Amino acid sequence: MGIYLVSVDAREWFDDDEEEGGRGAVASALDEELRRRGLPPYTSVPEEADFVRGSGMSFEEKLVPAMDGFSALCRSHLSRAEEEVLCGWTLLVPLSLDEEIWLPVNSAYTDETMVAGAPQVLRLAERVATAVELPVDEIPATSDNLDLTMWFLDGPAKDLAATRPGPWSEDLDAAFYVALYLRAAQHSLRRGCLIAYC
């Protein structure tokens, strides 16, 4: 068990059966709020792709490390409002949003759903990644099946930290979350899909 960050496909997004993982209530609430803001509804959700490791067609990571160091890192490099956008969302959408959207619909772990735009999250994640000199080219570029989680927990991160030390290597748990939010936003934009906690 635990908390996972995963991509959401069209079947799950438009399904009204919450007991089966459907997110139709959130989809309807989001479309209503987008219309209220004069934006088109979000309907171009990709279908589920067959699993192929390394293909970058799906996203699944497990939030295992402690987040204390990452929270401190965000406070050092972001304003409180920026930190909320980067870390406070419960649903990431591949849309540019001037401000986050709060929906009165339960998410996996909260009574409301906070929706953030992937372009905004990506910009913030890139700032933090630059600040800690995250070795972006060395960490897994895809997250089809816990790629980042395994890279940080099973040794490659520690090995790289020994040969390429820097601010990122001083707290590998914090670096994991920098990489996680960076890759989640990149995946959302590349695939045009949603990312959510489950």
Side-chain angles (χ1 to χ4, degrees), residues 140-161:
T142 60
S143 295
D144 296 284
N145 186 14
L146 309 180
D147 297 339
L148 284 175
T149 305
M150 300 306 222
W151 194 83
F152 274 93
L153 296 183
D154 288 349
K158 294 181 183 75
D159 296 340
L160 185 62

Side-chain angles (χ1 to χ4, degrees), residues 49-58 144:
D50 292 335
F51 175 74
V52 177
R53 184 177 293 281
S55 69
M57 297 299 285
S58 58
D144 296 284

Side-chain angles (χ1 to χ4, degrees), residues 99-178:
E99 60 183 14
E100 62 272 22
I101 295 174
W102 289 91
L103 302 174
V105 181
N106 291 344
S107 64
Y109 300 98
T110 61
D111 293 336
E112 293 180 295
T113 296
M114 196 272 253
V115 183
Q120 288 73 30
V121 169
L122 179 60
R123 281 196 293 273
L124 296 171
E126 286 173 337
R127 272 177 49 196
V128 179
T130 299
V132 299
E133 299 173 19
L134 187 73
V136 177
D137 293 338
E138 305 289 339
I139 63 174
T142 60
S143 295
D144 296 284
N145 186 14
L146 309 180
D147 297 339
L148 284 175
T149 305
M150 300 306 222
W151 194 83
F152 274 93
L153 296 183
D154 288 349
K158 294 181 183 75
D159 296 340
L160 185 62
T163 59
R164 283 189 54 191
W168 77 276
S169 65
E170 296 168 9
D171 185 342
L172 291 180
D173 288 352
F176 166 77
Y177 286 104
V178 176

Side-chain angles (χ1 to χ4, degrees), residues 27 30-32 34-35 39-44 95:
L30 177 60
D31 284 348
E32 182 178 329
L34 290 172
R35 277 191 291 271
L39 299 170
Y42 174 57
T43 56
S44 58
L95 309 172

Side-chain angles (χ1 to χ4, degrees), residues 2 10 12 45 49 56-57 64 74 77 80 102 117-118 123 125 127 152 184 188 197:
E12 181 182 347
V45 184
M57 297 299 285
V64 178
C74 289
H77 297 285
R80 182 68 189 104
W102 289 91
R123 281 196 293 273
R127 272 177 49 196
F152 274 93
S188 177
Y197 292 91

